[in-house]
Amino acid sequence: MRGPAWRETGKTPDYRFSLANERTFLAWVRTALALLAGAVAIDQLAPEIAPPVVRIVLCMMLALIGGVLAIVSYRRWAHQEQAMRNDEELPHSWLMLGMTVVVSLAALVFAVLILVRP
């Protein structure tokens, strides 16, 4: 299988940095999987947490965010790797702020749903 074209540019970075970048990518993928698992768990194990329409919308949102996170984390990994190969400054990512906001909002919504549940 042929790799991406950017792998042919610049010089190969120290393998320790590449492996650290890969571990970070895998951590983001685990987070994406946790969001997907949470969506399935809420749908299957807590059907009484909210009316069906609200529950389905929340589960779909969590699943969608998990899928988007998986894609964005790959792009982030690739951009970091490119920067290291070309001796450039590592690019800034809004991923951490975005995930902080998403997880905080999800926690708030589920806390409210648990509190108002009969």
Side-chain angles (χ1 to χ4, degrees):
M1 187 167 133
R2 189 167 176 265
W6 56 261
R7 292 210 58 191
E8 306 299 323
T9 63
K11 63 180 180 166
T12 304
D14 185 332
Y15 72 91
R16 294 171 293 176
F17 300 123
S18 287
L19 291 174
N21 191 30
E22 185 176 330
R23 284 190 301 273
T24 302
F25 164 71
L26 293 172
W28 285 111
V29 169
R30 282 192 303 271
T31 303
L33 286 171
L35 288 167
L36 291 171
V40 172
I42 290 165
D43 185 56
Q44 296 298 308
L45 302 176
E48 72 287 342
I49 197 167
V53 173
V54 174
R55 189 184 78 245
I56 289 170
V57 168
L58 289 172
C59 291
M60 291 300 295
M61 293 289 289
L62 285 176
L64 180 65
I65 291 166
V68 168
L69 180 59
I71 293 167
V72 171
S73 63
Y74 176 80
R75 291 189 61 212
R76 181 179 188 272
W77 168 82
H79 288 138
Q80 300 280 8
E81 199 72 19
Q82 265 182 296
M84 287 190 292
R85 293 186 75 80
N86 295 311
D87 287 327
E88 297 171 354
E89 186 175 332
L90 295 178
H92 176 71
S93 173
W94 292 98
L95 188 58
M96 275 81 64
L97 177 61
M99 283 308 300
T100 301
V101 170
V102 165
V103 170
S104 298
L105 287 174
L108 181 64
V109 168
F110 287 113
V112 168
L113 287 174
I114 290 168
L115 287 174
V116 299
R117 187 176 63 174

